[in-house]
């Protein structure tokens, strides 16, 4: 849909489930959706049971009627394939479709997102249904996109998956000797003599309660295998649809920083990225911003779709607070500010039964337009109509990148030491926040992405350095790039095997340091260091390091390692390698990263107080600066540029004052 010229504006709409309602209510829904300026509906997300009642028995009459209805009313469609939950009869007749969980328990029919990705039944019937849908509805010119399944996720430990895991290992490692090497099975007498000896790592084998594993290598490979298994199931549907409607883009709705699936690999097989954004009401703004940037990065900065958000409230938090007036609009523009070209909701109409009956919707149980939520949705809809195509296709022009790597995330999370308090995502977010707070644009990139377009690359906790990645960093820094990494970096290779000869292993020459030990501190214990006349905390993990050519910028002040360097800078080729040997405070990261940006000539889009976010997107129509006031009170900006606020049509000259009320947003198109 991002690429469909038919909707030459930001598509606006979301999940619509008329099949859950009597037909006589449909026309009234249409009236209300029009009134709310909705122009796209996601149909057919969970209809497998009604579309297929036996192996060869399909029923499309109801969906035909729904398609006629929405077409008649000029709505575009994001057409789902319904395979996010299999029918009950299928589970009874073909139990191979049921998953086995981490504890080894075989599931019965129930819930959703419940199919084993390697089940022959699933792999047969899911693409078969997708093909039938594509074939039947290809004549409609209002299908803007295909939406495969729904929020893929989870894992399976069934016997079939176990068999497939062995095949996957054989293809990857060729010999059992190589498997033994990469898993270091000489430890605890785990030597495997045959691929048949290998079992899946869960509570019945390598895992302990709480998700810890005895064999990181096995668990790491299982995670790769599981992510790929689910991806392969998606690809079967993709191929089935693409063969029939090659011009309609295909997506599936992702979930941001979702650990089980390596979205960077998934992104390669999606025509555009779409994701579901459900931050808790008190989630830090930068955590949402980072996730948008992460999703944008999956396709090297190409605009993405906000596939779902709630218009008002979720149903699955312990306490589901309403989005305050203006927040839905603000967060919608936040998505656009970070690269979304589509704004959509879950859902159009609140269901009357089951677990989502109290989830927010455009049409509430009251059934009419006289609600706060409806009015807010309609107002945003009118604004997006007026905004038109201006921002479509615009990209970030960030000069700073933060590396995010799923393999590294998996490896850090099962590292078994030095501390359970280390959370990779959290560490990435700390660095992100430092830049976010200064309105310095960031691209979130993966290990395959090009580094040369950036002046600064930050790789927080780069624990796993895959073969060849050190070389990529090395040549980037040699030719003038600035590279920064933090504690617990360069320890292992892609198999989670330690690189011997001293940490940070393959990064040692680039950083000009040798890390001898690492000290894990309990939550209430801190060391300290002084930098630029200020004292900052050193917490959680403290690397004890020696410089080997790097300049030490700060030193630990306490404990037996007082006087050892904690912050280093190494001139390497034409560039620099920086190392932050501990976890410090937000204030520190802001100061230190801010300085490095300044040295690299990287400028904030604009200076604003905390709680006022600013981003920039650029397309052939111009440069767009998004101002988002997340605070409750007014914010008065003195604009360092002139331009027109596309949301209210007002024009500004450089130095003019723009007053942004609490929760308000502006999109200034620069002159
Ligand atoms: C997810 C799903 C939707 C719905 C919403 C509720 O994002 O994709 O089907 O369950 O959550 O928040
Ligand atoms: Zn399985």
């Amino acid at each position: 849909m991002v690429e469909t010229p038919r909707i030459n504006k930001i598509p606006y709409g979301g999940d619509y489930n008329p099949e859950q309602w009597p037909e006589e209510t449909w026309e009234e829904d249409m009236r209300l959706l029009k009134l709310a300026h909705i122009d796209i509906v996601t149909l057919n997300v969970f209809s497998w049971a009604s579309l297929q009642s036996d192996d060869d028995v399909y029923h499309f009459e109801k969906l035909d009627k729904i398609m006629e209805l929405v077409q008649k009313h000029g709505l575009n469609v994001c057409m789902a394939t319904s395979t996010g939950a299999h029918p009950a009869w299928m589970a009874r007749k073909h139990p191979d479709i049921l998953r086995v969980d981490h504890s080894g328990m075989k599931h019965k029919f129930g819930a959703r997102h419940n199919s084993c990705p390697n089940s022959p039944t699933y792999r047969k019937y899911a693409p078969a249904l997708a093909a039938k849908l594509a074939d039947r509805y290809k004549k409609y010119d209002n299908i803007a996109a295909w939406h495969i399944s729904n929020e893929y996720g989870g894992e399976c430990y069934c016997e079939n998956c176990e068999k497939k895991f062995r095949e996957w290992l054989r293809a990857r490692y060729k010999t059992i000797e190589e498997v033994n090497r990469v898993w270091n099975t000489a430890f605890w007498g785990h030597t495997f003599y045959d691929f048949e000896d290998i079992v899946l790592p869960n509570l019945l084998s390598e895992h302990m309660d709480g998700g810890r594993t005895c064999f990181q290598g096995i668990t790491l490979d299982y995670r790769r295998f599981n992510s790929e298994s689910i991806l392969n199931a998606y690809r079967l549907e993709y191929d089935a649809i693409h063969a029939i409607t090659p011009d309609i883009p295909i997506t599936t709705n992702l979930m941001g920083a979702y650990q089980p699936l390596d979205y960077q690999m998934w992104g390669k097989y999606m025509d555009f990225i779409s994701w579901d954004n459900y931050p808790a009401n008190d989630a830090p703004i930068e955590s949402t911003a980072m996730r948008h940037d992460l999703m944008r990065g999956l396709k090297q900065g190409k605009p993405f779709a906000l596939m779902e958000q709630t218009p008002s409230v979720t149903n699955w938090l312990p306490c589901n607070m309403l989005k305050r007036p203006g927040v839905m609009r603000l967060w919608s523009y936040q998505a656009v500010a970070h690269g979304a070209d589509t704004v959509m909701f879950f859902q159009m109409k609140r269901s009357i039964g089951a677990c989502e009956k109290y989830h927010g919707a455009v049409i509430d149980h009251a059934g009419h337009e006289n609600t706060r939520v409806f009015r807010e949705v309609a107002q945003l809809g009118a604004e997006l109509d007026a905004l038109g195509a201006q921002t479509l296709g615009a990209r970030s022009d960030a000069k700073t990148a933060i590396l995010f790597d799923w393999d590294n995330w998996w490896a850090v999370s099962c590292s078994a030491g030095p501390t359970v308090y280390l959370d990779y995502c959290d560490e990435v977010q700390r660095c992100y926040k430092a830049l976010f707070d200064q309105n310095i644009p960031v691209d979130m990139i993966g290990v395959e992405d090009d580094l040369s377009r950036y002046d600064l690359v930050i790789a927080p906790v780069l624990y796993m350095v895959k073969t060849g990645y050190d070389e990529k960093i090395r040549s980037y820094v040699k030719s003038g790039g600035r590279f920064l990494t933090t504690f617990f970096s360069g320890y292992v290779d892609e198999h989670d095997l330690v690189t011997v000869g001293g940490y940070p292993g393959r990064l040692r020459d680039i950083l000009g340091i040798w890390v001898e030990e690492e000290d894990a501190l309990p939550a209430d214990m801190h060391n300290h260091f002084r930098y630029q006349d200020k004292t900052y905390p050193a917490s959680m993990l403290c690397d004890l390091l020696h410089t080997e050519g790097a300049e030490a910028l700060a030193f630990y002040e306490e404990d037996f390692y007082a006087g050892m360097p904690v912050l280093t800078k190494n001139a390497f080729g034409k560039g620099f390698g920086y190392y932050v040997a501990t976890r410090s405070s937000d204030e520190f990261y802001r100061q230190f990263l801010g300085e490095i940006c300044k040295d690299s000539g990287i400028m904030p889009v604009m200076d604003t107080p905390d709680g006022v976010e600013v981003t920039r997107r650029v397309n052939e129509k111009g440069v767009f600066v998004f101002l988002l006031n997340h605070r409750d009170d007014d914010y008065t900006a003195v604009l360092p540029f002139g331009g027109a606020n596309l949301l209210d049509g007002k024009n500004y000259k450089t130095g003019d004052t723009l007053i942004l009320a609490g929760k308000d947003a502006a999109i200034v198109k620069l002159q």
Side-chain angles (χ1 to χ4, degrees):
M1 83 190 90
V2 211
E3 289 164 326
T4 308
R6 216 188 123 80
I7 319 176
N8 200 21
K9 63 172 279 286
I10 292 178
Y12 189 54
D15 286 44
Y16 176 48
N17 299 304
E19 68 282 357
Q20 297 177 14
W21 295 84
E23 272 182 50
E24 39 303 356
T25 62
W26 293 358
E27 283 293 334
E28 174 64 1
D29 291 349
M30 293 296 106
R31 183 187 75 81
L32 290 167
L33 296 187
K34 274 273 123 165
L35 206 56
H37 299 262
I38 298 296
D39 48 39
I40 186 163
V41 285
T42 302
L43 296 178
N44 201 40
V45 182
F46 290 107
S47 306
W48 199 349
S50 67
L51 295 172
Q52 188 182 0
S53 61
D54 205 342
D55 291 316
D56 299 310
V57 190
Y58 290 88
H59 316 268
F60 293 103
E61 302 73 28
K62 194 164 219 174
L63 189 54
D64 290 350
K65 276 191 193 165
I66 295 169
M67 282 300 283
E68 287 301 316
L69 171 84
V70 302
Q71 194 192 39
K72 187 176 91 192
H73 288 275
L75 289 170
N76 294 285
V77 173
C78 173
M79 183 64 124
T81 61
S82 271
T83 53
H86 52 240
W89 68 263
M90 199 178 278
R92 177 170 48 81
K93 200 162 169 184
H94 306 288
D96 64 280
I97 203 167
L98 296 165
R99 285 185 182 182
V100 170
D101 70 19
H102 188 249
S103 66
M105 203 153 58
K106 171 98 178 165
H107 282 214
K108 294 190 174 188
F109 173 73
R112 63 173 178 174
H113 306 147
N114 46 7
S115 306
C116 161
N118 287 306
S119 142
T121 302
Y122 183 59
R123 290 172 57 87
K124 176 178 167 193
Y125 286 127
L129 178 59
K132 282 189 191 299
L133 289 164
D135 198 44
R136 191 167 186 98
Y137 298 106
K138 62 175 187 268
K139 60 177 186 279
Y140 286 88
D141 64 358
N142 61 334
I143 298 185
W146 286 99
H147 173 301
I148 296 182
S149 189
N150 188 70
E151 291 191 340
Y152 278 105
E155 48 195 21
C156 183
Y157 297 90
C158 74
E159 282 187 7
N160 199 30
C161 283
E162 195 158 84
K163 243 177 31 214
K164 292 286 171 199
F165 185 48
R166 292 179 193 133
E167 285 169 22
W168 184 89
L169 291 168
R170 205 188 280 274
R172 191 177 180 94
Y173 297 117
K174 311 288 183 280
T175 65
I176 196 69
E177 289 73 26
E178 182 62 1
V179 173
N180 282 316
R181 184 187 75 79
V182 300
W183 288 353
N184 199 39
T185 56
F187 179 76
W188 284 1
H190 265 49
T191 306
F192 297 113
Y193 288 90
D194 196 301
F195 280 91
E196 295 301 308
D197 293 340
I198 296 169
V199 298
L200 292 175
N202 66 357
L203 280 180
L204 302 180
S205 52
E206 303 296 355
H207 279 235
M208 300 166 264
D209 261 336
R212 303 192 89 183
T213 175
C214 297
F215 264 84
Q216 283 69 36
I218 305 183
T219 298
L220 185 61
D221 272 338
Y222 171 74
R223 288 186 172 172
R224 289 174 174 141
F225 161 77
N226 180 62
S227 175
E228 276 181 41
S229 295
I230 301 177
L231 174 60
N232 289 337
Y234 159 85
R235 289 180 63 191
L236 288 175
E237 291 194 46
Y238 181 101
D239 291 346
I241 295 168
H242 187 73
I244 300 168
T245 59
D247 298 329
I248 303 178
I250 302 173
T251 193
T252 182
N253 47 343
L254 307 181
M255 293 179 280
Y258 178 67
Q259 199 186 26
L261 302 183
D262 177 354
Y263 284 159
Q264 280 155 343
M265 187 186 280
W266 278 65
K268 293 180 191 166
Y269 301 98
M270 298 168 66
D271 292 333
F272 65 95
I273 299 300
S274 68
W275 84 286
D276 301 346
N277 180 36
Y278 290 99
N281 272 24
D282 58 354
I285 321 163
E286 71 274 6
S287 113
T288 306
M290 185 181 88
R291 282 155 178 79
H292 283 310
D293 289 353
L294 182 64
M295 294 295 95
R296 188 184 70 234
L298 301 181
K299 277 201 118 40
Q300 292 69 47
K302 196 172 155 184
F304 60 89
L306 175 62
M307 184 61 86
E308 290 182 26
Q309 62 172 337
T310 178
S312 60
V313 69
T314 53
N315 65 290
W316 35 262
L317 289 167
C319 169
N320 296 285
M321 226 177 144
L322 296 175
K323 275 186 182 169
R324 275 25 206 173
V327 171
M328 180 280 289
R329 173 177 177 271
L330 180 67
W331 289 3
S332 299
Y333 283 127
Q334 187 187 27
V336 178
H338 285 271
D341 269 2
T342 303
V343 173
M344 291 167 73
F345 299 105
F346 182 88
Q347 59 180 337
M348 294 297 102
K349 193 172 178 180
R350 226 171 195 186
S351 63
I352 57 164
C355 68
E356 283 172 359
K357 62 181 179 295
Y358 301 124
H359 192 285
V362 175
I363 307 173
D364 211 328
H365 288 147
H368 55 63
E369 63 268 44
N370 302 314
T371 66
R372 173 185 72 91
V373 171
F374 190 95
R375 282 190 294 273
E376 288 194 30
V377 170
Q379 186 213 331
L380 177 58
E383 276 183 15
L384 295 179
D385 281 350
L387 187 60
Q390 306 223 45
T391 58
L392 296 186
R395 291 183 170 242
S396 129
D397 57 356
K399 288 286 163 207
T400 306
I402 294 184
L403 180 74
F404 191 95
D405 180 43
W406 258 263
D407 282 306
N408 187 47
W409 191 4
W410 292 333
V412 168
S413 70
C414 56
S415 68
T419 170
V420 294
Y421 301 120
L422 173 57
D423 174 335
Y424 175 59
C425 224
D426 188 50
E427 294 310 317
V428 173
Q429 200 168 301
R430 280 167 200 274
C431 290
Y432 183 91
K433 178 175 166 57
L435 301 163
F436 172 89
D437 283 348
Q438 301 178 69
N439 300 321
I440 293 171
V442 177
D443 281 350
M444 301 289 293
I445 61 168
V447 290
E448 289 181 17
D449 291 314
D450 178 32
L451 303 180
S452 63
R453 54 178 288 210
Y454 300 106
D455 295 329
L456 170 64
V457 172
I458 301 171
V461 194
L462 187 58
Y463 170 66
M464 175 185 284
V465 177
K466 296 171 188 171
T467 304
Y469 198 63
D470 54 314
E471 201 36 52
K472 195 166 181 171
I473 300 169
R474 196 170 284 112
S475 57
Y476 164 73
V477 178
K478 267 190 187 155
S479 52
R482 284 175 158 84
F483 172 76
L484 181 144
T485 186
T486 67
F487 54 91
F488 205 43
S489 285
Y491 278 57
V492 300
D493 67 7
E494 60 273 35
H495 306 297
D496 199 45
L497 292 175
V498 168
T499 305
V500 292
Y503 319 124
R506 292 163 167 170
L507 303 177
R508 217 167 136 177
D509 58 324
I510 305 168
L511 299 165
I513 57 165
W514 166 44
V515 175
E516 186 180 341
E517 294 180 88
E518 67 279 353
D519 191 20
L521 302 181
D524 56 352
M525 232 179 112
H526 305 280
N527 204 312
H528 292 92
F529 62 92
R530 274 187 84 68
Y531 179 68
Q532 309 272 28
D533 296 329
K534 271 205 181 129
T535 298
Y536 295 103
S539 47
M540 194 181 61
L541 212 50
C542 299
D543 281 343
L544 279 53
L545 67 85
H546 309 275
T547 53
E548 292 179 329
E551 177 192 351
L553 305 176
F555 305 87
Y556 290 110
E557 297 209 314
E558 287 135 57
D559 218 326
F560 74 96
Y561 44 95
M564 286 184 97
V566 61
L567 214 57
T568 62
K569 175 180 180 181
N570 190 41
F572 188 79
K574 293 187 191 143
F576 296 95
Y578 298 86
Y579 196 72
V580 182
T582 187
R583 136 94 74 80
S584 194
S585 61
D586 289 349
E587 200 192 344
F588 167 74
Y589 292 118
R590 192 166 169 155
Q591 165 72 21
F592 191 56
L593 298 185
E595 256 170 49
I596 297 174
C597 284
K598 209 174 269 164
D599 290 349
S600 326
I602 300 167
M603 301 299 290
V605 180
M606 196 177 141
D607 292 323
T608 57
D610 281 353
V612 180
E613 181 183 1
V614 184
T615 73
R616 181 170 54 217
R617 289 180 70 183
V618 184
N619 66 12
E620 68 294 340
K621 296 198 179 73
V623 176
F624 305 88
V625 173
F626 292 75
L627 286 107
L628 305 156
N629 185 5
H630 294 274
R631 301 162 13 151
D632 292 323
D633 54 340
D634 287 4
Y635 159 64
T636 305
V638 178
L639 293 177
F641 39 69
N645 179 3
L646 302 180
L647 298 185
D648 66 9
K650 284 192 191 142
N651 286 301
Y652 297 89
K653 293 189 297 299
T654 305
D656 278 358
T657 299
L658 183 151
I659 300 174
L660 211 54
K663 309 296 181 203
D664 200 0
I667 307 175
V668 180
K669 183 175 179 190
L670 302 199
Q671 255 144 18

